Amino acid sequence: MTDLRQAPAPGSGQEPALSRPPAPGDPSRPARAPRPRSRRSAAPWLWGVVGVAAVVIAWELYKLLAPEDGVLVAGLRILPRTTDLAMPHVWDMAGRLLAPVTRQEGSPPLWGVIAVGALTTLGIAAVGWLVGMIVGFAFALIMQRWRLAEWGLLPWIILSQTVPLIAFAPIVKSWGSRIEIGGFEWQDWMSVALIASYLAFFPIAVGALRGLQSPDRIHTELMHTYAAGYWATLMKLRLPASVPYLLPALRLGAANAVIGAVVAEVSTGLQGGIGRLLIQFAGQASGDPAKAWGPIFGAIALGLVAAGSVALLGLLLKDYRRGEAA
């Protein structure tokens, strides 16, 4: 049979749909090819290097252009002095890290002493982070299970972070020194770890609670239709759904644990950590200003290592990180 349909004339506005380019929202539009994985993984490192370079350039530009007495407004100094005592050059601080700590023969390099102190603080902060993770997640489970517990506990959890650590740390050390159970004796580093866990548990508790509450109602009702109990729903629905919220909370908790450990070392006088080096070298800043910045760089690197270690955990849970919460 002869087909009576005729092709539309060109320019008549009745061309077949396939001859037109698909609209941006058209499902038939071909998807854009994803970027190579290596490029995506290198982007954060590149931006990190750019950020460090920007800080170095800003430091040196301010030291070059600003007055030695700093920037004064109405007699008040709002920006620091630019003298070598207050702001050493970046290359002076970097070179001081390679020099010996003291002038005595056989003295180790400054970076080695800082590395040992940073590792000591890192170990204490790791213990505090683990304790804070257990306590924070336990609080999140309780608050998610019973709404009344959330109303009663969450305000106190938030209020707990307003206590100044400088006043809190000596009390913890004093109480801990009185603990003797059989052959067990409380150590000074345990007080520091306890204070680190005190700062670490808060973001973990809040982030885990938000993650456990994140499943939609339709998903929880679906679990109910399968006659799934509380623990089955927790393991198969709520815990996987909480990963995008929990990982940022764990990173923040790790950084808080480092801060808590450093402050507690300063307040309790614990020897060997990066916090004690901060106080010790700060007292020598008048004669050796570049040396005082060494422990500061060590503390910064310590926080980056702590947060980066949690990022390794995210690689194991990458299948649950779709749409990770910031």
Side-chain angles (χ1 to χ4, degrees):
M1 180 180 295
T2 305
D3 190 357
L4 299 178
R5 292 178 297 178
Q6 297 180 355
S12 63
Q14 300 179 0
E15 291 86 351
L18 293 178
S19 64
R20 300 177 183 176
D26 193 343
S28 63
R29 183 184 179 90
R32 183 177 297 178
R35 292 180 298 174
R37 192 177 186 86
S38 58
R39 184 182 301 178
R40 287 182 296 173
S41 59
W45 294 96
L46 179 60
W47 283 112
V49 172
V50 170
V52 172
V55 172
V56 171
I57 293 173
W59 179 282
E60 292 296 333
L61 283 179
Y62 176 76
K63 183 175 175 61
L64 176 65
L65 302 176
E68 287 191 357
D69 200 33
V71 178
L72 303 175
V73 175
L76 299 176
R77 182 178 293 104
I78 62 173
L79 291 177
R81 295 184 176 93
T82 59
T83 60
D84 291 339
L85 182 61
M87 291 185 62
H89 286 287
V90 174
W91 47 84
D92 291 336
M93 293 184 286
R96 187 63 183 87
L97 290 174
L98 303 177
V101 178
T102 63
R103 297 179 180 178
Q104 297 180 356
E105 186 177 356
S107 179
L110 179 61
W111 70 266
V113 174
I114 293 174
V116 172
L119 289 176
T120 302
T121 303
L122 181 62
I124 298 174
V127 175
W129 178 76
L130 288 174
V131 174
M133 179 179 63
I134 295 172
V135 174
F137 201 79
F139 273 122
L141 286 175
I142 294 172
M143 290 186 291
Q144 185 277 320
R145 185 68 176 89
W146 296 284
R147 181 59 60 89
L148 183 62
E150 179 183 354
W151 294 342
L153 289 176
L154 190 57
W156 289 102
I157 291 175
I158 297 174
L159 186 63
S160 68
Q161 301 303 299
T162 62
V163 178
L165 288 185
I166 294 181
F168 182 59
I171 297 175
V172 173
K173 181 181 179 181
S174 177
W175 288 351
S177 62
R178 297 187 178 96
I179 297 177
E180 292 184 7
I181 304 175
F184 173 78
E185 185 176 352
W186 189 267
Q187 304 294 327
D188 289 341
W189 69 267
M190 296 179 183
S191 299
V192 176
L194 182 61
I195 296 169
S197 66
Y198 178 77
L199 283 186
F201 94 97
F202 170 70
I204 296 174
V206 175
L209 175 62
R210 180 66 183 89
L212 293 174
Q213 294 176 340
S214 63
D216 296 332
R217 184 175 180 179
I218 187 173
H219 297 149
T220 57
E221 290 180 350
L222 179 62
M223 296 298 292
H224 291 164
T225 60
Y226 292 154
Y230 170 75
W231 291 107
T233 303
L234 176 67
M235 299 301 297
K236 297 182 179 180
L237 175 62
R238 295 192 183 276
L239 283 181
S242 68
V243 170
Y245 300 87
L246 187 58
L247 286 177
L250 291 176
R251 286 197 294 267
L252 184 57
N256 283 2
V258 170
I259 295 173
V262 172
V263 174
E265 288 174 351
V266 173
S267 302
T268 61
L270 182 68
Q271 301 290 333
I274 199 74
R276 194 60 184 174
L277 292 179
L278 284 169
I279 299 299
Q280 179 182 346
F281 292 167
Q284 306 171 9
S286 58
D288 194 354
K291 182 180 180 180
W293 286 89
I296 297 176
F297 295 148
I300 294 173
L302 192 59
L304 293 175
V305 169
S309 301
V310 180
L312 297 178
L313 179 62
L315 297 178
L316 302 177
L317 302 174
K318 60 183 178 179
D319 294 337
Y320 303 99
R321 298 182 62 185
R322 299 183 181 92
E324 180 170 318

